[in-house]
């Protein structure tokens, strides 16, 4: 771990998994650039997918990225999650259109709205969007409607979310709903689901234990490599 901060800024560039950039909207332009680079190299059957929340959809970086994606007709799929609150800002203070998917036509995207708590719908619509992008159709925008069920961070009690909002269909716990679908369709039984949860929790506990046992970083011994291992840096170079 070597004292590095952050829990989401990781990727495997050699495998096409770009590390996330904190600045909201920036990953769209980065993904578009990667797709244009692959096109220039003559690579075929490519597609790029990135995600963003509805709050990030209001940034200049998002607008610029979506615009150049459509102008260059790159095979991009953008999945936007409408949490209904950008931190504590409700939708009606974020945008004036009825649905974020309405923006797709203006940019030259093809747009689709889905219930973000419906696992089957997400797999079907996003999977179809990937196929359309690969087939040469315009960039794809998929807007998934959900409700963020907890605060923006540990410091946020989410008291601004109204009781009425919590009763909306999109306010369901998507994991609990997925578990019901899995058991109802006979894909796995309750015991198997419980085993999966226990295995996942054990992996997290093991990772935390490993990190806590490591020595604190020594600045006198640090080589200030930007990534976690010098080997990875050498491979990228």
């Amino acid at each position: 771990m070597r004292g590095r901060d952050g829990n989401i800024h990781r990727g495997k560039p050699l495998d096409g998994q770009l590390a996330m950039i904190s600045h909201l909207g920036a990953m769209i332009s980065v993904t578009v650039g990667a797709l244009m680079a692959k096109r220039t190299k003559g690579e075929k059957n490519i597609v790029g997918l990135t995600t963003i929340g509805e709050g990030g959809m209001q940034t200049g970086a998002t607008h610029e990225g979506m615009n150049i994606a459509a102008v260059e007709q790159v095979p991009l799929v953008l999945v936007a999650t409408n949490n209904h609150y950008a931190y504590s800002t409700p939708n009606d203070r974020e945008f004036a259109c009825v649905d974020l998917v309405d923006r797709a036509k203006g940019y030259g995207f093809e747009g689709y709205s889905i219930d973000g708590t419906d696992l089957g719908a997400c797999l079907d619509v996003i999977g179809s969007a990937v196929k359309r992008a690969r087939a040469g159709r315009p960039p794809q925008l998929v807007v998934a409607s959900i409700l963020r069920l907890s605060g923006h961070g540990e410091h946020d009690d989410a008291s601004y979310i109204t009781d009425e909002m919590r009763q909306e269909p999109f306010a369901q716990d998507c994991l609990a709903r997925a578990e019901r679908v899995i058991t109802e369709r006979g894909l796995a039984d309750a015991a198997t689901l419980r085993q999966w949860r226990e295995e996942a929790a054990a992996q997290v506990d093991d990772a935390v234990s490993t990190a806590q046992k490591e020595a604190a970083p020594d600045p006198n011994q640090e080589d200030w490599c930007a990534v976690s291992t010098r080997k990875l840096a050498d491979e990228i170079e």
Side-chain angles (χ1 to χ4, degrees):
M1 303 303 176
R2 300 172 63 197
R4 284 177 169 75
D5 186 25
N7 59 357
I8 55 176
H9 306 283
R10 297 187 174 92
K12 298 179 68 177
L14 294 178
D15 293 334
Q17 299 175 20
L18 305 179
M20 176 186 170
I21 298 173
S22 293
H23 309 294
L24 299 180
M27 285 306 300
I28 299 174
S29 292
V30 171
T31 305
V32 171
L35 290 170
M36 292 177 67
K38 287 180 174 294
R39 175 188 290 171
T40 300
K41 293 167 66 176
E43 297 185 27
K44 305 295 184 182
N45 195 36
I46 58 173
V47 66
L49 185 148
T50 188
T51 62
I52 195 168
E54 95 286 351
M57 285 284 285
Q58 321 315 321
T59 64
T62 292
H63 294 292
E64 292 174 0
M66 292 182 69
N67 184 64
I68 196 63
V71 169
E72 295 294 342
Q73 286 292 288
V74 296
L76 173 73
V77 178
L78 174 59
V79 180
T81 302
N82 183 3
N83 300 285
H84 288 83
Y85 288 90
Y87 200 127
S88 59
T89 304
N91 277 179
D92 61 4
R93 301 304 300 167
E94 296 183 79
F95 51 86
C97 51
V98 176
D99 190 318
L100 273 178
V101 78
D102 296 340
R103 291 184 179 176
K105 187 174 182 179
Y107 283 111
F109 277 54
E110 293 181 347
Y112 307 88
S113 289
I114 56 175
D115 177 354
T117 70
D118 186 334
L119 175 61
C122 291
L123 292 172
D124 180 50
V125 175
I126 296 174
S128 296
V130 168
K131 292 178 181 177
R132 284 189 292 269
R134 274 206 173 105
R137 297 278 287 276
Q140 306 285 305
L141 172 64
V142 179
V143 177
S145 183
I146 65 170
L147 180 67
R148 194 186 69 233
L149 299 181
S150 59
H152 184 79
E154 291 295 326
H155 55 282
D156 176 16
D157 63 5
S159 57
Y160 44 81
I161 300 179
T162 65
D163 291 337
E164 292 77 13
M165 181 71 77
R166 294 186 184 279
Q167 300 306 311
E168 293 286 348
F170 55 75
Q172 300 180 70
D173 184 332
C174 58
L175 293 179
R177 184 177 180 186
E179 287 187 359
R180 289 196 298 272
V181 171
I182 290 172
T183 54
E184 288 170 0
R185 295 185 180 181
L187 301 175
D189 58 22
T192 300
L193 293 176
R194 183 169 56 255
Q195 179 183 348
W196 290 347
R197 285 193 297 271
E198 292 172 352
E199 289 175 352
Q203 289 178 14
V204 172
D205 290 342
D206 183 60
V208 171
S209 176
T210 298
Q212 290 177 334
K213 292 175 182 176
E214 291 184 350
D218 181 354
N220 294 316
Q221 302 297 322
E222 177 59 65
D223 64 1
W224 305 109
C225 177
V227 291
S228 60
T229 67
R230 173 58 62 185
K231 179 176 181 293
L232 177 59
D234 291 340
E235 290 176 352
I236 292 176
E237 294 169 358

